[in-house]
Amino acid sequence: MIQDPLSLFKASLEGNDWGTAIIQINLKEKNYEVLLKNSNFSQLEKEFDFPNLLKNKISHYDFNTEIIYKTDGKVLETSFGHFDYPSGSKDFQYTKFFIRDITIKQKQEEEIAWRLRFELGVASSIQILIQKPSIRESLPQALYQLLYFTEMDSIFFLKNIGTDESQKFEIWVNERKSTEYPLLPKKFETLDWKKEGINRWLHKLKNGKIIYLKKEKALPKEQWYFEESKAESILFIPVKFENKFLGIMGFQKYVPNFVIHHENLLIYQTVSRWMGLFVQRDSDLTELNRYKSTLESLILERTLDLSRTKEELERAYKAKTEFLAHVSHELRTPLNSIIGFSKLIQLPEGDVTGKEYLQYIYSGGTRLLKMINEILSLMKIESGQINILYSEFRPEEICRQSLELIQPQANAKGMEIRFFPPIQSKRMRSDSGKIQQILLNLLSNAIKYGDHSYVEFHCEWSNFGVNFSVRDFGPGISQEDQKRIFHSFTRLNDDGKIEGTGLGLSISQGLAEKLGGSITLISHLGEGSTFILNIPENIK
């Protein structure tokens, strides 16, 4: 039995996993007609305002791929096929319109990215604790690093200093991502949990259970905590070592409708295990110092234990460093291939969707490669493996070379760079490549965060060497944030709109110190920021 071609074509559409429709577009009248559609399309077009979307696309002649995020959590992807003029009339175009539900795919990608970020945060925190001799002093910095890699807004650690009969805590860590979020009140050091109506929290924590609670689910007698802390949801995790209750690590979120899935709760809980190890080690050191005058034998035994622990940690740190170096090499090699081949692949001119996907591959690969290189640079600086390449040059030459490299970024934002060369032209002896790396980072930050039509770039000689200064006219930086601006992985007011890892200034400051110089910051809220790089005329 012979079927007509239209029926065969319609049957082929039904075999497609996408929602697919054949559409005739009247370019003159700016309207359309759906000629054919499969059952998947009939179902998915009810999920959003399909007629209005298509009318806007036709009106603006914009047929790019578009992602639709629905209020119920669904994510839809819409795209178009080829647009060729059929013979007979130039007023009509025919195209395939595709709809696909990518909700599950989107969530899977977000979950993988979250876990990778969390693991990187844990590795960074442990590295800080290993390198610093005092756990008490390094713990705030370590947990702040961890906080940066989570979706939480604040973190604290309450060290248990009470007994079985009394409850008493000491606040060791009290950090937040932004100053708009409140810190944990000081009264928690002497808080009577039972009297304040939250004794069931403490009871659960002492028994090794976590507290994950939203404001609307809290008991009436517990509501005061959410009102005072302004938190919408809390996550309290017990920190234990060999069944000994050492304290409480807490995370807080200040926006509503935030959810932590069960499997992610388990990942958070694993952090408390290594926390217990380091906190107990600090307690052991304190105990040794307290009894060293009368318990020499115990001191010797503990010292040997600590020595073995230190050797194991150093071996672990060395293995981790070698592992990261090896993995980074293994990552960079295929990444360079992916990035290179994404630029070499030639697609037909009409394959708009394919070219867009290639651009996603290229941009995502370059961002990941940049982050890997920055982490390796930071590790080299911290381990003292940076080599200085001496040469003689004029500082204004490095400035002009830097301007040529950064100009495309400035042009993309429509921003002008006003360069002020030194009055006196003479040569200096230093590492021109390292200086240029620092200048490119400072100029890039000024362009990204500035909201004026231009930035200023000055180069001048002083009694101490050469001063390179980059001034933007952005929102400025508060005095409190200026204290941590050069910390690793620190980004102020991180809303996800500006790309970056928060490593640039930390790397730049490390390079400046290797060159015998420094970077200083002058900033006031509402008046912009000026970063000044000082490099001596000759490296000693």
Side-chain angles (χ1 to χ4, degrees), residues 13-21 37-47 99-101:
L13 294 183
E14 290 296 340
N16 195 339
D17 292 336
W18 292 63
T20 309
K37 58 183 177 180
N38 62 11
S39 56
N40 285 342
F41 188 92
S42 299
Q43 182 178 358
L44 290 172
E45 69 174 326
K46 300 174 184 177
E47 298 283 346
I99 313 172
R100 182 171 63 160
D101 187 339

PDB file of all heavy atoms in Angstrom, residues 13-21 37-47 99-101:
ATOM      1  N   LEU A  13       8.196  12.620  11.735  1.00  0.00           N
ATOM      2  CA  LEU A  13       8.251  13.570  12.850  1.00  0.00           C
ATOM      3  C   LEU A  13       7.907  12.891  14.164  1.00  0.00           C
ATOM      4  O   LEU A  13       8.444  13.241  15.219  1.00  0.00           O
ATOM      5  CB  LEU A  13       7.289  14.739  12.611  1.00  0.00           C
ATOM      6  CG  LEU A  13       7.603  15.676  11.444  1.00  0.00           C
ATOM      7  CD1 LEU A  13       6.588  16.811  11.392  1.00  0.00           C
ATOM      8  CD2 LEU A  13       9.014  16.241  11.554  1.00  0.00           C
ATOM      9  N   GLU A  14       7.006  11.916  14.123  1.00  0.00           N
ATOM     10  CA  GLU A  14       6.610  11.224  15.348  1.00  0.00           C
ATOM     11  C   GLU A  14       7.756  10.404  15.935  1.00  0.00           C
ATOM     12  O   GLU A  14       7.800  10.135  17.119  1.00  0.00           O
ATOM     13  CB  GLU A  14       5.408  10.299  15.068  1.00  0.00           C
ATOM     14  CG  GLU A  14       4.116  11.029  14.788  1.00  0.00           C
ATOM     15  CD  GLU A  14       3.636  11.834  15.987  1.00  0.00           C
ATOM     16  OE1 GLU A  14       4.056  11.545  17.115  1.00  0.00           O
ATOM     17  OE2 GLU A  14       2.837  12.773  15.783  1.00  0.00           O
ATOM     18  N   GLY A  15       8.716  10.024  15.092  1.00  0.00           N
ATOM     19  CA  GLY A  15       9.844   9.253  15.593  1.00  0.00           C
ATOM     20  C   GLY A  15      10.923  10.098  16.235  1.00  0.00           C
ATOM     21  O   GLY A  15      11.939   9.580  16.692  1.00  0.00           O
ATOM     22  N   ASN A  16      10.710  11.406  16.275  1.00  0.00           N
ATOM     23  CA  ASN A  16      11.702  12.321  16.848  1.00  0.00           C
ATOM     24  C   ASN A  16      11.405  12.550  18.326  1.00  0.00           C
ATOM     25  O   ASN A  16      10.258  12.762  18.708  1.00  0.00           O
ATOM     26  CB  ASN A  16      11.647  13.653  16.090  1.00  0.00           C
ATOM     27  CG  ASN A  16      12.868  14.510  16.370  1.00  0.00           C
ATOM     28  OD1 ASN A  16      13.534  14.315  17.378  1.00  0.00           O
ATOM     29  ND2 ASN A  16      13.128  15.453  15.487  1.00  0.00           N
ATOM     30  N   ASP A  17      12.455  12.520  19.167  1.00  0.00           N
ATOM     31  CA  ASP A  17      12.270  12.772  20.599  1.00  0.00           C
ATOM     32  C   ASP A  17      11.929  14.224  20.884  1.00  0.00           C
ATOM     33  O   ASP A  17      11.394  14.546  21.936  1.00  0.00           O
ATOM     34  CB  ASP A  17      13.539  12.391  21.376  1.00  0.00           C
ATOM     35  CG  ASP A  17      13.779  10.896  21.361  1.00  0.00           C
ATOM     36  OD1 ASP A  17      12.799  10.159  21.175  1.00  0.00           O
ATOM     37  OD2 ASP A  17      14.944  10.481  21.519  1.00  0.00           O
ATOM     38  N   TRP A  18      12.252  15.104  19.977  1.00  0.00           N
ATOM     39  CA  TRP A  18      11.944  16.527  20.148  1.00  0.00           C
ATOM     40  C   TRP A  18      10.478  16.782  19.774  1.00  0.00           C
ATOM     41  O   TRP A  18       9.882  16.065  18.974  1.00  0.00           O
ATOM     42  CB  TRP A  18      12.820  17.388  19.245  1.00  0.00           C
ATOM     43  CG  TRP A  18      14.260  17.402  19.601  1.00  0.00           C
ATOM     44  CD1 TRP A  18      15.133  16.360  19.609  1.00  0.00           C
ATOM     45  CD2 TRP A  18      15.020  18.552  19.990  1.00  0.00           C
ATOM     46  NE1 TRP A  18      16.368  16.760  19.980  1.00  0.00           N
ATOM     47  CE2 TRP A  18      16.339  18.111  20.219  1.00  0.00           C
ATOM     48  CE3 TRP A  18      14.715  19.901  20.164  1.00  0.00           C
ATOM     49  CZ2 TRP A  18      17.348  18.980  20.613  1.00  0.00           C
ATOM     50  CZ3 TRP A  18      15.723  20.765  20.548  1.00  0.00           C
ATOM     51  CH2 TRP A  18      17.018  20.301  20.786  1.00  0.00           C
ATOM     52  N   GLY A  19       9.930  17.833  20.344  1.00  0.00           N
ATOM     53  CA  GLY A  19       8.671  18.351  19.837  1.00  0.00           C
ATOM     54  C   GLY A  19       8.960  19.125  18.565  1.00  0.00           C
ATOM     55  O   GLY A  19       9.693  20.123  18.596  1.00  0.00           O
ATOM     56  N   THR A  20       8.437  18.676  17.435  1.00  0.00           N
ATOM     57  CA  THR A  20       8.810  19.252  16.142  1.00  0.00           C
ATOM     58  C   THR A  20       7.567  19.693  15.378  1.00  0.00           C
ATOM     59  O   THR A  20       6.553  18.992  15.365  1.00  0.00           O
ATOM     60  CB  THR A  20       9.589  18.233  15.291  1.00  0.00           C
ATOM     61  OG1 THR A  20      10.665  17.702  16.068  1.00  0.00           O
ATOM     62  CG2 THR A  20      10.154  18.887  14.042  1.00  0.00           C
ATOM     63  N   ALA A  21       7.698  20.882  14.731  1.00  0.00           N
ATOM     64  CA  ALA A  21       6.607  21.389  13.902  1.00  0.00           C
ATOM     65  C   ALA A  21       7.189  21.996  12.629  1.00  0.00           C
ATOM     66  O   ALA A  21       8.289  22.554  12.638  1.00  0.00           O
ATOM     67  CB  ALA A  21       5.784  22.433  14.660  1.00  0.00           C
ATOM     68  N   LYS A  37       2.789  19.059  12.888  1.00  0.00           N
ATOM     69  CA  LYS A  37       3.448  18.966  14.198  1.00  0.00           C
ATOM     70  C   LYS A  37       3.243  17.555  14.742  1.00  0.00           C
ATOM     71  O   LYS A  37       2.231  16.903  14.459  1.00  0.00           O
ATOM     72  CB  LYS A  37       2.899  20.005  15.173  1.00  0.00           C
ATOM     73  CG  LYS A  37       1.403  19.929  15.433  1.00  0.00           C
ATOM     74  CD  LYS A  37       0.981  21.067  16.363  1.00  0.00           C
ATOM     75  CE  LYS A  37      -0.539  21.079  16.582  1.00  0.00           C
ATOM     76  NZ  LYS A  37      -0.945  22.182  17.483  1.00  0.00           N
ATOM     77  N   ASN A  38       4.234  17.104  15.524  1.00  0.00           N
ATOM     78  CA  ASN A  38       4.108  15.781  16.109  1.00  0.00           C
ATOM     79  C   ASN A  38       3.444  15.868  17.488  1.00  0.00           C
ATOM     80  O   ASN A  38       3.173  16.951  18.004  1.00  0.00           O
ATOM     81  CB  ASN A  38       5.466  15.076  16.177  1.00  0.00           C
ATOM     82  CG  ASN A  38       6.463  15.815  17.072  1.00  0.00           C
ATOM     83  OD1 ASN A  38       6.096  16.726  17.796  1.00  0.00           O
ATOM     84  ND2 ASN A  38       7.725  15.411  17.003  1.00  0.00           N
ATOM     85  N   SER A  39       3.195  14.722  18.076  1.00  0.00           N
ATOM     86  CA  SER A  39       2.469  14.686  19.354  1.00  0.00           C
ATOM     87  C   SER A  39       3.279  15.318  20.485  1.00  0.00           C
ATOM     88  O   SER A  39       2.712  15.941  21.386  1.00  0.00           O
ATOM     89  CB  SER A  39       2.109  13.236  19.719  1.00  0.00           C
ATOM     90  OG  SER A  39       3.277  12.427  19.760  1.00  0.00           O
ATOM     91  N   ASN A  40       4.603  15.160  20.443  1.00  0.00           N
ATOM     92  CA  ASN A  40       5.441  15.794  21.474  1.00  0.00           C
ATOM     93  C   ASN A  40       5.296  17.304  21.438  1.00  0.00           C
ATOM     94  O   ASN A  40       5.235  17.974  22.470  1.00  0.00           O
ATOM     95  CB  ASN A  40       6.915  15.423  21.282  1.00  0.00           C
ATOM     96  CG  ASN A  40       7.205  14.009  21.733  1.00  0.00           C
ATOM     97  OD1 ASN A  40       6.427  13.421  22.479  1.00  0.00           O
ATOM     98  ND2 ASN A  40       8.321  13.452  21.283  1.00  0.00           N
ATOM     99  N   PHE A  41       5.236  17.864  20.232  1.00  0.00           N
ATOM    100  CA  PHE A  41       5.079  19.312  20.101  1.00  0.00           C
ATOM    101  C   PHE A  41       3.725  19.754  20.657  1.00  0.00           C
ATOM    102  O   PHE A  41       3.617  20.769  21.353  1.00  0.00           O
ATOM    103  CB  PHE A  41       5.213  19.713  18.630  1.00  0.00           C
ATOM    104  CG  PHE A  41       5.254  21.196  18.413  1.00  0.00           C
ATOM    105  CD1 PHE A  41       6.458  21.873  18.372  1.00  0.00           C
ATOM    106  CD2 PHE A  41       4.081  21.937  18.273  1.00  0.00           C
ATOM    107  CE1 PHE A  41       6.499  23.240  18.181  1.00  0.00           C
ATOM    108  CE2 PHE A  41       4.110  23.297  18.080  1.00  0.00           C
ATOM    109  CZ  PHE A  41       5.329  23.955  18.036  1.00  0.00           C
ATOM    110  N   SER A  42       2.683  19.000  20.339  1.00  0.00           N
ATOM    111  CA  SER A  42       1.338  19.354  20.815  1.00  0.00           C
ATOM    112  C   SER A  42       1.289  19.406  22.339  1.00  0.00           C
ATOM    113  O   SER A  42       0.575  20.224  22.929  1.00  0.00           O
ATOM    114  CB  SER A  42       0.319  18.333  20.297  1.00  0.00           C
ATOM    115  OG  SER A  42       0.295  18.335  18.887  1.00  0.00           O
ATOM    116  N   GLN A  43       2.071  18.556  22.983  1.00  0.00           N
ATOM    117  CA  GLN A  43       2.087  18.541  24.455  1.00  0.00           C
ATOM    118  C   GLN A  43       2.940  19.669  25.018  1.00  0.00           C
ATOM    119  O   GLN A  43       2.542  20.352  25.960  1.00  0.00           O
ATOM    120  CB  GLN A  43       2.612  17.190  24.935  1.00  0.00           C
ATOM    121  CG  GLN A  43       2.625  17.035  26.459  1.00  0.00           C
ATOM    122  CD  GLN A  43       3.105  15.674  26.892  1.00  0.00           C
ATOM    123  OE1 GLN A  43       3.391  14.816  26.072  1.00  0.00           O
ATOM    124  NE2 GLN A  43       3.202  15.481  28.189  1.00  0.00           N
ATOM    125  N   LEU A  44       4.122  19.886  24.422  1.00  0.00           N
ATOM    126  CA  LEU A  44       5.056  20.861  24.974  1.00  0.00           C
ATOM    127  C   LEU A  44       4.656  22.304  24.694  1.00  0.00           C
ATOM    128  O   LEU A  44       5.006  23.203  25.463  1.00  0.00           O
ATOM    129  CB  LEU A  44       6.469  20.601  24.428  1.00  0.00           C
ATOM    130  CG  LEU A  44       7.161  19.339  24.940  1.00  0.00           C
ATOM    131  CD1 LEU A  44       8.459  19.092  24.184  1.00  0.00           C
ATOM    132  CD2 LEU A  44       7.429  19.444  26.434  1.00  0.00           C
ATOM    133  N   GLU A  45       3.922  22.567  23.598  1.00  0.00           N
ATOM    134  CA  GLU A  45       3.565  23.959  23.301  1.00  0.00           C
ATOM    135  C   GLU A  45       2.584  24.527  24.323  1.00  0.00           C
ATOM    136  O   GLU A  45       2.434  25.746  24.438  1.00  0.00           O
ATOM    137  CB  GLU A  45       2.976  24.052  21.896  1.00  0.00           C
ATOM    138  CG  GLU A  45       1.604  23.402  21.745  1.00  0.00           C
ATOM    139  CD  GLU A  45       1.006  23.646  20.364  1.00  0.00           C
ATOM    140  OE1 GLU A  45       1.250  24.734  19.795  1.00  0.00           O
ATOM    141  OE2 GLU A  45       0.309  22.750  19.848  1.00  0.00           O
ATOM    142  N   LYS A  46       1.953  23.645  25.117  1.00  0.00           N
ATOM    143  CA  LYS A  46       1.053  24.110  26.172  1.00  0.00           C
ATOM    144  C   LYS A  46       1.815  24.589  27.403  1.00  0.00           C
ATOM    145  O   LYS A  46       1.229  25.212  28.289  1.00  0.00           O
ATOM    146  CB  LYS A  46       0.109  22.972  26.573  1.00  0.00           C
ATOM    147  CG  LYS A  46      -0.756  22.449  25.429  1.00  0.00           C
ATOM    148  CD  LYS A  46      -1.553  21.230  25.880  1.00  0.00           C
ATOM    149  CE  LYS A  46      -2.354  20.624  24.718  1.00  0.00           C
ATOM    150  NZ  LYS A  46      -3.080  19.399  25.147  1.00  0.00           N
ATOM    151  N   GLU A  47       3.125  24.296  27.441  1.00  0.00           N
ATOM    152  CA  GLU A  47       3.922  24.627  28.613  1.00  0.00           C
ATOM    153  C   GLU A  47       4.312  26.105  28.659  1.00  0.00           C
ATOM    154  O   GLU A  47       4.781  26.607  29.686  1.00  0.00           O
ATOM    155  CB  GLU A  47       5.200  23.773  28.654  1.00  0.00           C
ATOM    156  CG  GLU A  47       4.966  22.287  28.765  1.00  0.00           C
ATOM    157  CD  GLU A  47       4.586  21.871  30.175  1.00  0.00           C
ATOM    158  OE1 GLU A  47       4.758  22.687  31.082  1.00  0.00           O
ATOM    159  OE2 GLU A  47       4.095  20.741  30.351  1.00  0.00           O
ATOM    160  N   ILE A  99      11.081  21.979  20.141  1.00  0.00           N
ATOM    161  CA  ILE A  99      10.950  22.212  21.588  1.00  0.00           C
ATOM    162  C   ILE A  99      11.451  20.957  22.297  1.00  0.00           C
ATOM    163  O   ILE A  99      11.122  19.834  21.911  1.00  0.00           O
ATOM    164  CB  ILE A  99       9.486  22.464  22.020  1.00  0.00           C
ATOM    165  CG1 ILE A  99       8.800  23.470  21.110  1.00  0.00           C
ATOM    166  CG2 ILE A  99       9.442  22.956  23.472  1.00  0.00           C
ATOM    167  CD1 ILE A  99       7.313  23.604  21.391  1.00  0.00           C
ATOM    168  N   ARG A 100      12.257  21.162  23.355  1.00  0.00           N
ATOM    169  CA  ARG A 100      12.745  20.018  24.123  1.00  0.00           C
ATOM    170  C   ARG A 100      12.728  20.359  25.608  1.00  0.00           C
ATOM    171  O   ARG A 100      13.129  21.455  26.003  1.00  0.00           O
ATOM    172  CB  ARG A 100      14.163  19.647  23.703  1.00  0.00           C
ATOM    173  CG  ARG A 100      14.701  18.419  24.449  1.00  0.00           C
ATOM    174  CD  ARG A 100      16.004  17.911  23.889  1.00  0.00           C
ATOM    175  NE  ARG A 100      17.063  18.892  24.008  1.00  0.00           N
ATOM    176  CZ  ARG A 100      18.369  18.598  23.966  1.00  0.00           C
ATOM    177  NH1 ARG A 100      18.742  17.341  23.800  1.00  0.00           N
ATOM    178  NH2 ARG A 100      19.274  19.536  24.057  1.00  0.00           N
ATOM    179  N   ASP A 101      12.280  19.431  26.432  1.00  0.00           N
ATOM    180  CA  ASP A 101      12.295  19.591  27.883  1.00  0.00           C
ATOM    181  C   ASP A 101      13.676  19.155  28.383  1.00  0.00           C
ATOM    182  O   ASP A 101      14.022  17.978  28.348  1.00  0.00           O
ATOM    183  CB  ASP A 101      11.205  18.726  28.526  1.00  0.00           C
ATOM    184  CG  ASP A 101      11.063  18.990  30.025  1.00  0.00           C
ATOM    185  OD1 ASP A 101      12.019  19.510  30.615  1.00  0.00           O
ATOM    186  OD2 ASP A 101       9.999  18.659  30.585  1.00  0.00           O
TER     187      ASP A 101
END
